[in-house]
Amino acid sequence: MKQFKIYLILCLVAISFSAFSQKKFVGTFSNGFKGAKLSFTLSADGKQLQNFTFDGYWRCGGSTEHIKAGPEKSFPVINGKIQGVILDPENGGASAFRFNLEGIVNGTQANGTFRMSITGLSCDTYKLNWTAVAI
């Protein structure tokens, strides 16, 4: 009986920690080049979208190129709403990446729009519509 109580307590502790753990999301785009995908992590408190990664194609200097990229910084999430622009590097410049992410996170589902560009190099994904689910 004592072992069962210890086991039960350990299970409850594990469940409580998992309820507050980060959530990893993976998703796809409904427009743009076929096969593009995205991933990100939602912080345990639900206030930061971290490790955003775009893996797909974009137009760059008149040609199509595959790229896997994302900002070093996190996007803020306020009441489940994602809305932010990150320049990488922060001071900008003609060769800076511009990441524009908008969306909504609701439990284990999320959706929105994304655009990545480098103005000085004429590189752009253009505005893409995405959906993602927690895994």
Side-chain angles (χ1 to χ4, degrees):
M1 184 68 167
K2 186 175 181 180
Q3 287 178 334
F4 178 74
K5 286 181 182 179
I6 292 171
Y7 176 75
L8 184 60
I9 289 170
L10 290 175
C11 287
L12 291 173
V13 169
I15 290 169
S16 66
F17 277 123
S18 68
F20 296 106
S21 65
Q22 295 180 336
K23 290 181 187 174
K24 169 112 180 178
F25 285 77
V26 294
T28 58
F29 298 91
S30 62
N31 62 330
F33 292 101
K34 188 176 181 178
K37 53 191 171 190
L38 68 124
S39 63
F40 61 85
T41 305
L42 185 64
S43 64
D45 62 7
K47 295 182 179 181
Q48 295 290 318
L49 189 147
Q50 306 161 330
N51 305 315
F52 182 90
T53 303
F54 169 82
D55 185 357
Y57 293 88
W58 66 347
R59 295 273 183 207
C60 198
S63 64
T64 303
E65 295 180 3
H66 179 261
I67 186 166
K68 186 173 184 177
E72 298 263 337
K73 291 194 162 210
S74 301
F75 290 97
V77 180
I78 301 169
N79 296 323
K81 187 175 181 180
I82 309 156
Q83 189 170 10
V85 174
I86 297 175
L87 293 178
D88 195 2
E90 281 184 51
N91 60 357
S95 61
F97 278 83
R98 183 178 193 275
F99 300 95
N100 186 345
L101 185 66
E102 295 182 9
I104 302 219
V105 177
N106 187 3
T108 59
Q109 298 183 1
N111 64 72
T113 61
F114 170 71
R115 184 176 183 181
M116 179 177 68
S117 61
I118 302 176
T119 305
L121 301 177
S122 300
C123 298
D124 205 328
T125 61
Y126 302 99
K127 193 172 189 177
L128 300 173
N129 300 312
W130 60 268
T131 57
V133 294
I135 56 169

